[in-house]
Amino acid sequence: MGLIVQKFGGTSVGSVERIQHVANLIKQEVDNGNKLVVVVSAMGKSTDQLVDMARQITKRPSPREMDMLLTTGEQVSIALLSMALHELGLEAVSLTGWQAGIHTEDVHQNARILDIEKQNVLGYVEEGKVVVVAGFQGITADGQITTLGRGGSDTTAVALAAALGADRCDIYTDVTGVFTADPRIVPAAAQLKQISYDEMLELANLGAGVLHPRAVECAKNYQVKLMVRSSFEAVEGTEVKEEAVMETGKVVHGVAHDDQVTKVTVKGLKNEIGVLSRLFNLLAEYHINVDIIINQNIQGEEQTNISFSLDTDDLDKALQVLDDHKAQLNYEDIVYERDMAKVSIVGAGMISNPGVAAQMFQSLAEAGIEIKMVSTSEIKVSCVVPHKDMVKAVQTLHAAFGLDRVADKVSATN
Amino acid sequence: MGLIVQKFGGTSVGSVERIQHVANLIKQEVDNGNKLVVVVSAMGKSTDQLVDMARQITKRPSPREMDMLLTTGEQVSIALLSMALHELGLEAVSLTGWQAGIHTEDVHQNARILDIEKQNVLGYVEEGKVVVVAGFQGITADGQITTLGRGGSDTTAVALAAALGADRCDIYTDVTGVFTADPRIVPAAAQLKQISYDEMLELANLGAGVLHPRAVECAKNYQVKLMVRSSFEAVEGTEVKEEAVMETGKVVHGVAHDDQVTKVTVKGLKNEIGVLSRLFNLLAEYHINVDIIINQNIQGEEQTNISFSLDTDDLDKALQVLDDHKAQLNYEDIVYERDMAKVSIVGAGMISNPGVAAQMFQSLAEAGIEIKMVSTSEIKVSCVVPHKDMVKAVQTLHAAFGLDRVADKVSATN
């Protein structure tokens, strides 16, 4: 029939039994007459074990050596999964990132894929083999082993699907699909049948965690049809594509949250042209991802303050970089607030519905939740709130925008 | 001063603490002004754990996928050792087999090194870095990951030393050097200060286990000076070189044993030209190493029997190959005796001392030990004996050839 790329995450291949189960899922698609390219992550806790050994040796492991260390995790997975496929009578061959032609930037621990030399994968596919590719990893032009950073296996799968012109890319994970909110936080959350790339991108960026944003971006750019589904339960997943048919009359389709947010404020910067670019170019140089940026620049004033939010994991690095470049940036002081969270509402219908943001602010205010920062795009509104209020904020918004009722409807049709 | 290649085996890097200890040993040589290329094996029991997972999935793992799986072991070691070196303030960089340019035959699990593309290693050495190379692994011309088979890290180290023109190759292991016999079996065994390549080669082939025979062969071919030493105890090791100064007056320098021997007899073969080559070419094709071969071919008789010994691990594979080619080989029956062992005496002085073999046979006979097969070379005599008599045979020969007294002498001078 067609060519399908499947991706199985760490929990999906977390044990020998899970690997055997995944082999059976693959066999079903092969028996349906499809050609398969399978991308796998490292087995469940194996990455943690490797990181733990490194930490016993050094507090600041070299990024290059961390990539050398961690890429062994997927290599173990691809070998074992290929063996499990052989055991089911399928022809299968495993390929590391470099063998699969995954070329990346010359950056360790957070490289982006530059291009895919697909001949090797394609050659095996044409021989009728299931090709099992190590996710999360690639190679630089001068032969260094790199990793793609968090969620990198999703990106490997989508990039391969794009390069190979696959008919579909299935992202197998430990949830059954994309929900209107995290079901662990909002029990009334319902699974969506379809969602658009743009909305998924906002949800991914907002910490919904099901799919890595880079992967969604790549899928949108190359119009790769994604299917998010569970490797644990045989239920229908959520389709991610350009034009998704959503519930009519709903402006907001999902509420997302991100619980690892820190707000940093750089105080007493000289108010001059180029101050923003200098600061954020510097942070970008050190691969620190900044999310929301606020700079209420009042013309005529000599000094200005710039606030931004970032992943709390990056805080130490950011503070170090800012401190190392204090003279160059010419600021007075840095303050930061940890223990923040970001809650967001997402919906393609927002563009033509003014007042959605105002309704969000009002709902949060009525619930007594303080808003620390705000960020908006055409299809989402995000608020940074105290971490202690995150769950209440998500539940409040899920109800306020009528998503609890969507949940009832969907579960009634199941 | 010079360029030294060091090799550390699995027990030497068996834990985080051991890796840190190895990093200190390396630092000593760097502090002495040497340039270092370090070859490491997989951490202690890690290979066993990987093999165990594969066995849970399949009884007959694909050799290609086993190589894919097992090569992760050394990759973990090189990354962690490099981190430990960084922690000591040394510049270090890890390289997998393919990154170090270790090109091998297109055979999985038991490939031989064809050549070494040394530019990458040399480039880093010239930058003043300690280069940490994954032992045991290489890459084929078409980019497949291979392993060198048992003891392959020794071979990686010696081949690298030869390619780089290193001044010395130190093989760090869990014993302090080469002994006149296995000290676990012969308590009176003594460590040798020096031994020639040829004698070491016989000892390595005879299962002395300290050094892999391929590594010794490579060292002899390229005149790489080897030093076998302990990574656990700071004592002098055994030097392996072309002209070794041995105890004068000793004909036999060591007694070796190999406890994994099976004798196979192919019965009722047609006695014609080419019968031997047909049989052993076939076994070679399937990479089955045959050791002693006996064929008492009596001219004029229509049928002949051929016996050979092999490693008991290869028995199943050999029986399968012989069975699959029964028609082609045209034999009547196969019989085999497991639970055999091989004991050998080794000494460069044997060439000019007739009667050494006879003395060996007599000693074994006096001890009541049955000899099943005999094999001789210019510097060794081997006898296959029942496994139950192996220890007695080694002790008997060690005493009979005056090595117990050598032991006393050497320990007296320590």
Side-chain angles (χ1 to χ4, degrees):
Chain A
M1 309 275 278
L3 174 63
I4 302 175
V5 174
Q6 296 186 323
K7 179 256 171 178
F8 295 93
T11 51
S12 296
V13 294
S15 67
V16 164
E17 291 71 31
R18 293 294 316 154
I19 287 173
Q20 288 165 328
H21 175 68
V22 163
N24 278 303
L25 292 177
I26 293 167
K27 185 169 191 300
Q28 283 170 23
E29 290 292 4
V30 174
D31 289 347
N32 288 339
N34 293 301
K35 296 181 169 188
L36 267 285
V37 174
V38 181
V39 175
V40 285
S41 304
M43 292 173 73
K45 307 238 173 291
S46 69
T47 303
D48 292 345
Q49 287 165 5
L50 293 171
V51 170
D52 189 52
M53 281 200 288
R55 293 222 188 283
Q56 284 178 51
I57 288 173
T58 175
K59 275 176 193 153
R60 284 194 179 195
S62 131
R64 181 188 184 280
E65 299 305 334
M66 278 306 278
D67 282 355
M68 181 65 86
L69 182 69
L70 297 185
T71 49
T72 63
E74 296 86 41
Q75 195 171 326
V76 168
S77 298
I78 56 173
L80 294 177
L81 179 55
S82 298
M83 290 177 192
L85 290 168
H86 295 162
E87 198 64 13
L88 296 180
L90 298 181
E91 293 227 48
V93 64
S94 68
L95 297 176
T96 61
W98 60 269
Q99 287 179 323
I102 313 285
H103 295 274
T104 76
E105 302 174 305
D106 194 5
V107 173
H108 286 289
Q109 302 216 262
N110 202 18
R112 278 175 302 191
I113 296 176
L114 294 179
D115 77 305
I116 293 184
E117 211 176 294
K118 63 185 175 187
Q119 289 82 342
N120 208 7
V121 173
L122 220 49
Y124 284 119
V125 169
E126 276 159 12
E127 288 174 17
K129 293 193 166 87
V130 176
V131 183
V132 183
V133 177
F136 176 70
Q137 56 182 248
I139 187 171
T140 67
D142 71 334
Q144 306 291 337
I145 295 173
T146 53
T147 61
L148 310 181
R150 261 174 283 173
S153 292
D154 289 351
T155 311
T156 304
V158 175
L160 269 170
L164 299 169
D167 297 283
R168 207 174 76 213
C169 180
D170 293 347
I171 307 287
Y172 281 89
T173 178
D174 49 3
V175 295
T176 55
V178 181
F179 283 73
T180 52
D182 186 335
R184 288 168 298 188
I185 286 187
V186 183
Q191 190 178 316
L192 296 164
K193 280 195 190 308
Q194 294 189 335
I195 188 169
S196 69
Y197 292 123
D198 285 335
E199 289 175 305
M200 189 67 230
L201 197 53
E202 292 291 358
L203 286 171
N205 267 319
L206 299 173
V210 179
L211 267 176
H212 195 267
R214 268 195 216 160
V216 181
E217 201 178 341
C218 180
K220 178 180 159 68
N221 287 344
Y222 294 94
Q223 296 288 307
V224 175
K225 206 198 286 181
L226 295 182
M227 180 66 90
V228 178
R229 57 187 3 167
S230 167
S231 70
F232 293 82
E233 290 175 66
V235 296
E236 211 160 318
T238 299
E239 204 178 352
V240 188
K241 56 184 188 178
E242 190 64 56
E243 294 293 335
V245 181
M246 303 296 297
E247 292 284 321
T248 49
K250 294 289 168 209
V251 175
V252 171
H253 292 137
V255 181
H257 65 276
D258 184 355
D259 65 356
Q260 290 283 325
V261 177
T262 290
K263 177 185 173 185
V264 177
T265 302
V266 185
K267 294 172 82 169
L269 284 151
K270 201 172 171 203
N271 192 7
E272 59 188 0
I273 289 170
V275 60
L276 277 164
S277 71
R278 219 167 25 237
L279 174 61
F280 293 107
N281 274 332
L282 179 71
L283 292 170
E285 221 174 85
Y286 286 88
H287 295 274
I288 296 164
N289 282 321
V290 166
D291 185 15
I292 302 175
I293 295 173
I294 293 178
N295 174 223
Q296 278 190 304
N297 182 15
I298 298 163
Q299 220 180 350
E301 287 199 357
E302 259 185 42
Q303 288 199 321
T304 186
N305 302 328
I306 299 176
S307 296
F308 55 89
S309 69
L310 44 64
D311 194 301
T312 303
D313 282 348
D314 284 340
L315 176 62
D316 288 348
K317 197 169 154 197
L319 293 176
Q320 184 69 48
V321 169
L322 292 173
D323 194 51
D324 291 349
H325 298 79
K326 185 160 185 182
Q328 181 192 331
L329 292 170
N330 192 18
Y331 62 84
E332 278 177 1
D333 197 14
I334 305 279
V335 293
Y336 59 88
E337 291 179 84
R338 282 174 189 266
D339 295 328
M340 295 285 124
K342 186 172 66 169
V343 294
S344 311
I345 52 173
V346 174
M350 260 181 227
I351 301 175
S352 48
N353 281 274
V356 175
Q359 191 185 337
M360 181 184 191
F361 303 152
Q362 191 188 331
S363 300
L364 293 176
E366 281 169 10
I369 296 166
E370 186 189 2
I371 298 171
K372 296 274 187 178
M373 298 173 96
V374 173
S375 160
T376 61
S377 82
E378 288 180 330
I379 63 166
K380 75 118 205 265
V381 183
S382 299
C383 295
V384 173
V385 301
H387 190 277
K388 66 176 172 53
D389 294 329
M390 182 184 79
V391 171
K392 188 163 70 165
V394 173
Q395 289 171 344
T396 299
L397 295 172
H398 200 266
F401 287 99
L403 293 171
D404 283 1
R405 275 164 299 184
V406 173
D408 293 337
K409 247 187 242 168
V410 172
S411 56
T413 60
N414 276 351
Chain B
M1 309 272 279
L3 174 64
I4 302 176
V5 174
Q6 296 187 323
K7 179 255 171 179
F8 294 93
T11 51
S12 296
V13 292
S15 67
V16 165
E17 291 71 30
R18 293 295 314 155
I19 287 173
Q20 288 166 328
H21 175 68
V22 162
N24 278 303
L25 291 177
I26 292 165
K27 186 169 190 300
Q28 283 171 25
E29 291 293 4
V30 173
D31 289 347
N32 288 339
N34 293 301
K35 295 181 171 189
L36 268 284
V37 174
V38 180
V39 175
V40 285
S41 304
M43 290 173 74
K45 308 237 173 291
S46 69
T47 303
D48 292 345
Q49 287 166 3
L50 292 172
V51 169
D52 188 53
M53 282 199 288
R55 293 224 188 281
Q56 285 178 50
I57 288 174
T58 174
K59 276 178 191 149
R60 286 196 176 192
S62 133
R64 181 188 184 281
E65 299 304 334
M66 278 306 277
D67 282 354
M68 182 63 87
L69 183 68
L70 297 184
T71 48
T72 62
E74 297 86 39
Q75 196 172 325
V76 169
S77 299
I78 56 172
L80 293 177
L81 179 55
S82 297
M83 290 176 194
L85 290 167
H86 294 162
E87 199 63 13
L88 296 180
L90 296 180
E91 292 226 50
V93 63
S94 67
L95 297 176
T96 62
W98 60 269
Q99 287 179 323
I102 313 286
H103 295 275
T104 75
E105 301 175 307
D106 194 5
V107 172
H108 286 288
Q109 303 217 261
N110 201 19
R112 277 175 302 192
I113 295 175
L114 294 178
D115 77 304
I116 294 183
E117 213 176 291
K118 62 185 173 186
Q119 290 82 342
N120 208 7
V121 173
L122 219 49
Y124 285 118
V125 169
E126 277 159 13
E127 289 175 17
K129 292 193 167 91
V130 175
V131 183
V132 183
V133 178
F136 177 70
Q137 58 183 246
I139 187 170
T140 68
D142 70 336
Q144 307 290 338
I145 295 173
T146 52
T147 60
L148 310 180
R150 260 174 285 175
S153 293
D154 289 350
T155 311
T156 303
V158 175
L160 268 171
L164 299 170
D167 297 283
R168 208 173 75 212
C169 179
D170 292 347
I171 307 285
Y172 280 89
T173 177
D174 49 3
V175 296
T176 55
V178 181
F179 282 74
T180 53
D182 186 335
R184 288 169 298 187
I185 286 186
V186 183
Q191 190 179 316
L192 297 163
K193 279 194 194 304
Q194 293 188 334
I195 188 168
S196 70
Y197 292 125
D198 285 336
E199 290 175 306
M200 190 65 231
L201 197 54
E202 292 290 359
L203 286 172
N205 267 320
L206 299 173
V210 180
L211 266 177
H212 195 267
R214 269 195 212 159
V216 182
E217 202 177 341
C218 179
K220 178 179 158 70
N221 287 344
Y222 294 94
Q223 297 287 305
V224 175
K225 206 198 285 181
L226 295 181
M227 180 65 89
V228 178
R229 58 187 1 167
S230 167
S231 70
F232 294 81
E233 291 176 65
V235 297
E236 212 161 318
T238 299
E239 202 178 354
V240 188
K241 55 184 190 177
E242 190 63 58
E243 295 292 336
V245 180
M246 302 298 295
E247 290 286 320
T248 49
K250 294 288 168 207
V251 176
V252 172
H253 292 135
V255 182
H257 64 277
D258 184 357
D259 65 355
Q260 289 283 328
V261 178
T262 290
K263 178 185 173 184
V264 177
T265 302
V266 184
K267 294 174 81 170
L269 284 152
K270 202 171 172 204
N271 191 6
E272 60 187 359
I273 289 170
V275 62
L276 277 164
S277 72
R278 217 164 30 234
L279 175 61
F280 292 107
N281 273 333
L282 179 70
L283 292 171
E285 221 173 87
Y286 288 88
H287 295 273
I288 296 163
N289 281 321
V290 166
D291 184 14
I292 302 175
I293 295 172
I294 294 177
N295 173 225
Q296 277 189 306
N297 181 15
I298 297 161
Q299 219 181 353
E301 288 199 356
E302 259 183 44
Q303 288 197 323
T304 186
N305 301 331
I306 298 176
S307 296
F308 57 88
S309 69
L310 45 63
D311 193 301
T312 302
D313 282 348
D314 283 341
L315 177 62
D316 289 347
K317 194 169 155 196
L319 294 176
Q320 184 68 49
V321 169
L322 292 173
D323 194 51
D324 290 348
H325 298 79
K326 185 161 187 179
Q328 180 192 333
L329 291 171
N330 192 17
Y331 62 84
E332 279 177 0
D333 198 14
I334 305 281
V335 293
Y336 60 88
E337 293 178 84
R338 280 175 191 268
D339 294 328
M340 296 286 124
K342 187 171 67 167
V343 293
S344 310
I345 53 172
V346 174
M350 261 181 225
I351 302 174
S352 48
N353 280 274
V356 175
Q359 191 186 338
M360 181 184 190
F361 303 152
Q362 191 189 331
S363 300
L364 292 176
E366 281 169 9
I369 297 166
E370 185 189 3
I371 297 170
K372 296 273 186 176
M373 297 172 96
V374 173
S375 160
T376 60
S377 81
E378 288 180 331
I379 63 166
K380 76 116 205 265
V381 184
S382 297
C383 295
V384 173
V385 302
H387 189 276
K388 66 175 171 56
D389 294 329
M390 182 184 78
V391 171
K392 188 161 71 166
V394 172
Q395 289 171 343
T396 299
L397 295 171
H398 201 265
F401 287 98
L403 293 171
D404 283 1
R405 275 163 298 182
V406 172
D408 293 338
K409 248 188 245 170
V410 171
S411 55
T413 59
N414 277 350

